Amino acid sequence: APPPAAAAAAPRRLPPAEPPDAALSHAREQLAPLWAEWLSLCGQQGANERGFVSQLQAAGWLRQDEQGERFLRVTTELAIAAAHADGSADGGTRLPLAFGPLDAYSKLVVLILKSLTPEPTPSGARDTTPAATAATARAQLAALVRVLSAVVAHLARSHAHHACGAHHHEPPPGAPPTPPFNQRAYLRLFGNWLLELAAPDPALDTLQPQMLYAFAAAFEALRPSRVPGFAFAWLELVSHRSFMPKLLLAPGRKGWPRLQKLLGHLFSFLYPNLTAPRLSPPTKHLYRGALRVLLVLLHDFPEFLCDYHLALCDAIPHTCVQLRNLVLSAFPRHMMLPDPFTPNLKVDLLPESSQPPTVLSPYTAALSAAGILEPLDAFLKRRGPRSLLQDLRQRLVGPDGAHRVAAIH
């Protein structure tokens, strides 16, 4: 589906051409037969897939250096290009896409991560000492971040070329033809990794929950305001069953600020489109997706909506009454709401009314950034000077009635 109208109307510039890279061209020549070999192995029963990964390690392709970066970039290019070349049109409006090469690439990445486990002890048992476990976690997380960075960079380049109409240009020497941008290809890759890496596996247990934080950082880099053509796949990934619930269940609620930030990016992208007199069809679909995400959070994680209600309501347009009501109707699961039809009900006398709400949003950040917070605190303590009231109005509202202080989500 095309991006919403406001994002699509942004000025498009031709991305600068990449300078020739002899090392990258040489890597493409070396990795093309290896990629073909891996595709053939994935189609065979009982193939020695771990032996192929060992072959890559022996050749130095999996090292954390420039050669390793070239390996990830080239294999990502080959997988995306093969998916478009092997795909067959479905007779509709969707671009042809074959999932086989994408599944093969995602499988190769998972095997590489599993191969980073420590060597067994002389007795053949697995080394489970704290030092070995910590080293494994660092190595696997570093490798995963490098993989996600390579895919994010490829997605951004492909989207930039497609947005400015540069996909018809000749690719660099040795590179596969630049396929048209198709968000379903990247959705398939990210979705496969979320499912595989979140599944119980002793070889990948050390990745939890840092793996979720790495994906959250990747999704933030691909937020709709930066890559509007990826907005629908982005929303599906953020609400993925292997990402959003697990992120909210991370120890110490460390995943809550990350999800709130992602939702803030979603509503910031939708804001100018939802305030338009008439909504375009893509905006309607994205709005319905956001509505369903809030419904899931209201049902399964109402405490999240309670603690971040200020930031969420600040990001949602005032015209979206349904979205705001979903956020404001959330209450903690352990709380029993009183019956509103109880005779002589005094809400202010209920024990719950004396408990201050939990607010995790940085509600003072916008005032502090505008230099208003300290004078306002001083005014509330000393009850003066009265001139601050007029000064506040001039700082908050411009002559045209527009707000000068922007919310910080």
Side-chain angles (χ1 to χ4, degrees):
R12 298 172 178 178
R13 296 180 180 179
L14 189 68
E18 293 187 69
D21 189 339
L24 188 60
S25 300
H26 185 58
R28 290 190 178 106
E29 295 175 359
Q30 292 179 301
L31 289 172
L34 289 175
W35 172 251
E37 179 184 352
W38 173 247
L39 287 180
S40 64
L41 284 176
C42 290
Q44 300 175 9
Q45 292 288 341
N48 186 15
E49 297 173 345
R50 294 186 181 275
F52 181 82
V53 175
S54 300
Q55 177 185 349
L56 294 178
Q57 287 177 327
W61 290 113
L62 305 185
R63 292 200 301 259
Q64 296 188 25
D65 55 9
E66 293 184 358
Q67 184 178 358
E69 298 297 332
R70 288 192 289 268
F71 168 78
L72 293 175
R73 173 170 178 171
V74 173
T75 49
T76 303
E77 291 176 354
L78 292 172
I80 298 294
H84 287 84
D86 298 344
S88 57
D90 57 2
T93 58
R94 296 195 302 181
L95 294 173
L97 187 70
F99 291 142
L102 301 174
D103 295 341
Y105 181 45
S106 60
K107 185 178 183 179
L108 176 61
V109 169
V110 173
L111 286 175
I112 290 174
L113 295 179
K114 290 182 178 180
S115 70
L116 298 177
T117 54
E119 295 294 332
T121 60
S123 62
R126 184 185 175 195
D127 189 357
T128 57
T129 59
T133 302
T136 300
R138 288 193 298 269
Q140 290 181 333
L141 183 61
L144 176 62
V145 170
R146 289 168 55 235
V147 170
L148 294 179
S149 299
V151 177
V152 168
H154 188 278
L155 192 158
R157 286 195 302 269
S158 178
H159 183 271
H161 280 72
H162 174 75
C164 65
H167 55 281
H168 298 297
H169 291 193
E170 289 295 327
T178 304
F181 179 77
N182 190 340
Q183 58 181 326
R184 291 190 299 134
Y186 306 96
L187 172 64
R188 183 74 173 193
L189 286 177
F190 285 119
N192 284 346
W193 288 327
L194 284 173
L195 290 172
E196 291 286 342
L197 300 179
D201 191 328
L204 297 173
D205 286 344
T206 56
L207 266 177
Q208 308 295 336
Q210 288 78 12
M211 176 269 294
L212 298 171
Y213 305 154
F215 275 99
F219 296 158
E220 185 178 357
L222 296 173
R223 55 185 177 269
S225 60
R226 285 187 176 180
V227 193
F230 190 64
F232 292 93
W234 183 89
L235 180 57
E236 186 168 346
L237 289 170
V238 168
S239 59
H240 198 282
R241 67 179 185 273
S242 294
F243 177 73
M244 186 173 74
K246 294 181 180 293
L247 188 65
L248 292 175
L249 293 174
R253 294 186 173 182
K254 293 182 179 180
W256 287 32
R258 292 172 169 86
L259 182 62
Q260 184 270 325
K261 203 168 186 179
L262 293 175
L263 292 179
H265 291 315
L266 171 63
F267 293 124
S268 297
F269 177 70
L270 279 173
Y271 200 106
N273 298 282
L274 293 178
T275 54
R278 301 186 66 177
L279 301 183
S280 63
T283 301
K284 290 181 181 179
H285 285 293
L286 203 57
Y287 169 82
R288 290 169 187 160
L291 184 66
R292 292 176 180 177
V293 171
L294 288 184
L295 281 172
V296 171
L297 292 173
L298 178 63
H299 184 270
D300 295 339
F301 300 96
E303 293 84 0
F304 173 80
L305 296 181
C306 293
D307 294 352
Y308 284 103
H309 69 279
L310 280 180
L312 293 175
C313 288
D314 200 20
I316 298 174
H318 293 279
T319 54
C320 300
V321 179
Q322 190 176 24
L323 288 178
R324 297 170 66 89
N325 285 346
L326 279 177
V327 176
L328 296 176
S329 63
F331 62 91
R333 282 170 289 184
H334 62 80
M335 180 182 293
M336 296 294 295
L337 295 184
D339 185 1
F341 298 103
T342 302
N344 302 322
L345 176 64
K346 301 291 185 180
V347 178
D348 56 336
L349 298 180
L350 295 175
E352 291 81 4
S353 298
S354 60
Q355 300 175 4
T358 302
V359 179
L360 299 181
S361 307
Y363 56 91
T364 61
L367 296 176
S368 180
I372 300 176
L373 182 61
E374 292 185 4
L376 184 60
D377 286 340
F379 177 84
L380 295 176
K381 289 179 181 179
R382 298 193 298 264
R383 300 297 179 182
R386 296 180 61 87
S387 60
L388 179 66
L389 299 179
Q390 288 296 330
D391 187 36
L392 281 177
R393 176 176 176 80
Q394 294 176 1
R395 292 195 188 187
L396 294 173
V397 182
D400 57 350
H403 296 284
R404 287 180 171 176
V405 179
I408 299 179
H409 307 308

